[in-house]
Structure formats: C-alpha cells, structure tokens
Amino acid sequence: MSVKIFDTPDVQAFLRKVSGLDQAGGDPRTKRIAHRILSDLYRAIDDLDVTPDEYWAGIAWLNELGAAGQAGLISPGLGLDHFLDLRLDALDAELGIENRTPRTIEGPLYVAGAPVVEGFARLDDGRDRNGHTLVMHGVVKGDDGAPVPGARVEVWHCDTRGFYSHFDPTGEQAPFNMRRTIVADEQGRYGFRSIVPKGYGVPPGSPTERLLFALGRHGQRPAHIHFFVSADGHRKLTTQINIAGDPLVNDDFAYATRDGLVPRIVERDDEAGIRAYGLDGPFAEIAFDFWLSPLVDGVDNQLVERPRAAA
Ligand code: DHB
Ligand code: FE
C-alpha cells in the first residue's frame, strides 16, 4: 500500500478536531501537545505504511505495559529520561551554570519516606548472604567548594540479585532495605555502610524487555547507586554512581552512565580500616563528594515533580 493522506485538508481538519483545537473547552497545553504527538503518529503510519495488524499489536503492547506498571521502566530504556537530562544540561549551559557533579536519571524505583539518619547510616539489614561490604563517604559541597552542613543525601540501591526493596518480586526484602536519608554533619560529611550492589535487569519476559529485544537491545544496567542531594540555598541534585569495573558501565540500557560518575572503588583488608568502620572483614570503599549548584534567582529552576511511590 502506498497511499498518502496525511497532508490532505480532511486529515488535517480531523487532527484539529480530535485534539479539541476546534473548540474552546479543555486545557490549551494538553491540546497543543496532543495535536503534535497525534500528528507525528498519523504521519508515521502514513509514511511507513503501518498496517492495521502492526498498529493493533502496538495497542496490545501498551495495554500490557500499563497493566504491568512499566511505563516508567521503558521510558529510560527509550532514552527519554536521558534526553530530558540533556535538555536540562543545555539550559544550564545557556545560564552559565556548571554542574561539577553531573545529573543523571532518577529511574522509576525511588520510594519516599526512608528512615532519616544523621551523618553515617547502615543501609542494608545484613540478610543478603552474597553481599560484599561497601563503605561510601564524602562531603556535600556548594558551588564554591564549601561544605554544606545538614545537606540531605537520599540514597537507594538494589541487592546482589538486582532487586530493590518495595519492588522485590520475591517479597524477601524488608521495607526501606538499602534506602536511607542521610543528613550531613557539621563538616558536610555523609557516609554509609551497605553492600556492593549488582546490576539490574528489567523483568524477564516483560513487555519492556520484549520491546528492547525487538530492537536488538538488552534490558540490563550496570551496578549503580542512586542519590538525591538537597540543601537550603542549592538546587536538588539527582544522580547516580556506577560501580567501576562492571562490564556494562558503558552499555547501560537506561543511558545513565556519565563522565564523573564512575568513582574509584578500593578493596581494603587493612585492620585499621576494618576497625575504623566497625566491620568484621574486608570491604570496598568509595570516596565521592557531591557538588551542589546554586539556586537561579532564588529558586530551584530544575526541580522535578513527578508521581513517586511512598511508604
Ligand atoms: C530502571 C531501573 C533502574 O534501577 C534504574 O535505575 C533506571 C531504570 C528501569 O527498570 O527502567
Ligand atoms: Fe536503579
């Protein structure tokens, strides 16, 4: 079939009608976005001769995706989360703002309401038998490099099976396992003990994975740890670090890896270090400072509000 009808007056008028542009009610912004996205979709169907069978396969996939609650999982997989970051970066470049700690995607697995701990926290409950002890610490700094006492470091990561608490298909993890809010001390220092996470993969056989496979891709992420870092007078930073040495560090299905976010990880077995952190054996150590950027005209011009899980 090679008919092309997109540019006909009838189809153009129809697009305005289905988007509500021919009448007064509704929300103008929604109408404008709907009109643009529907136009792009109609045009793609026309240009690519998308068959009815292909179209209905897509609709069935969307229903499955929604039923599985996976819209937030495929979004990073299709690079949209990273694209939004690139746009924020470009806006910062225009404003002359340098982010010494790069932002990177939040991902879909944050849960609000984690326990709040002053200074140094233990994130894991010790039940992950394959866990290798990790100690991570550093200073939260302002744009001028000065420490930011009282900064809040929200941290979350998965276990050695790649499962996050609250999203664990085995139901084995306690609420807020490997999730805390750490309040930096008077010197702006934060620290935590946990286990080194492993890579994460989208649920096997899921609609998310099926689309990625159809694209000849995979649904795996390198091991990583998520952070929100916030403090009065500074913009909230959303970022992650990767565990150096993970084979997927530069092959992340969610495109979150960025220069400056793969800190050195040091294996330690010295008695002094083990004792200093009150551990019982060898551990891995990461030192990492977070640099916050200043408010713009007194406001956080890039604060992201999105529906988030809470417990
Ligand atoms: C996804 C999972 C993550 O842990 C993450 O950080 C980003 C994306 C996902 O399943 O899409
Ligand atoms: Fe993650």
Side-chain angles (χ1 to χ4, degrees):
M1 212 162 66
S2 64
V3 295
K4 300 289 175 233
I5 61 169
F6 180 75
D7 286 319
T8 60
D10 280 358
V11 168
Q12 291 303 308
F14 184 57
L15 271 166
R16 293 181 59 76
K17 195 178 167 79
V18 296
S19 307
L21 289 176
D22 64 342
Q23 53 178 301
D27 173 59
R29 176 74 174 162
T30 304
K31 290 180 176 192
R32 188 165 177 217
I33 293 171
H35 181 257
R36 173 56 181 269
I37 292 175
L38 287 170
S39 296
D40 288 351
L41 183 57
Y42 281 34
R43 194 209 308 270
I45 290 170
D46 217 28
D47 283 352
L48 302 175
D49 288 321
V50 172
T51 67
D53 291 11
E54 287 172 330
Y55 178 78
W56 293 113
I59 291 295
W61 178 84
L62 280 175
N63 268 336
E64 284 182 63
L65 187 77
Q70 293 185 354
L73 270 62
I74 196 62
S75 169
L78 297 179
L80 288 151
D81 300 31
H82 183 59
F83 181 63
L84 295 179
D85 280 344
L86 294 177
R87 285 181 42 81
L88 295 180
D89 290 351
L91 180 62
D92 279 348
E94 209 166 86
L95 294 171
I97 297 173
E98 192 199 345
N99 294 292
R100 295 201 41 177
T101 305
R103 67 168 53 80
T104 197
I105 73 165
E106 172 179 331
L109 303 176
Y110 171 80
V111 180
V116 178
V117 182
E118 304 281 332
F120 191 95
R122 179 163 183 183
L123 310 188
D124 71 304
D125 60 11
R127 290 175 53 217
D128 190 327
R129 300 247 165 270
N130 300 314
H132 178 45
T133 303
L134 169 71
V135 172
M136 178 166 169
H137 56 84
V139 175
V140 180
K141 297 175 171 182
D143 194 42
D144 54 1
V148 185
R152 294 166 72 85
V153 178
E154 294 179 75
V155 52
W156 68 104
H157 69 80
C158 65
D159 66 11
T160 61
R161 302 167 304 165
F163 297 150
Y164 286 81
S165 61
H166 301 267
F167 301 95
D168 182 341
T170 68
E172 278 173 24
Q173 290 183 72
F176 293 112
N177 192 33
M178 302 178 204
R179 301 174 183 272
R180 290 296 183 278
T181 294
I182 303 165
V183 180
D185 70 11
E186 311 76 52
Q187 277 99 54
R189 292 176 306 195
Y190 77 92
F192 61 83
R193 167 188 175 174
S194 193
I195 57 166
V196 181
K198 286 280 198 307
Y200 162 96
V202 299
S206 64
T208 299
E209 190 186 63
R210 282 185 0 244
L211 177 59
L212 295 167
F213 282 178
L215 300 177
R217 296 178 44 199
H218 65 72
Q220 304 295 316
R221 300 207 57 206
H224 60 278
I225 303 175
H226 295 265
F227 299 94
F228 288 151
V229 187
S230 53
D232 288 346
H234 304 268
R235 300 194 304 182
K236 176 179 171 180
L237 171 68
T238 300
T239 196
Q240 306 179 22
I241 59 137
N242 285 335
I243 302 301
D246 189 299
L248 291 180
V249 157
N250 291 306
D251 187 16
D252 177 4
F253 99 96
Y255 307 103
T257 304
R258 309 199 79 173
D259 287 346
L261 297 179
V262 191
R264 218 156 65 89
I265 181 163
V266 180
E267 287 298 330
R268 291 187 59 176
D269 60 5
D270 55 291
E271 274 308 315
I274 291 168
R275 220 172 313 113
Y277 291 112
L279 306 176
D280 49 16
F283 64 106
E285 182 180 33
I286 294 174
F288 191 81
D289 295 341
F290 294 102
W291 292 70
L292 297 179
S293 54
L295 298 175
V296 175
D297 299 327
V299 298
D300 186 340
N301 67 324
Q302 298 191 346
L303 192 62
V304 175
E305 294 296 351
R306 61 185 268 188
R308 295 186 173 95

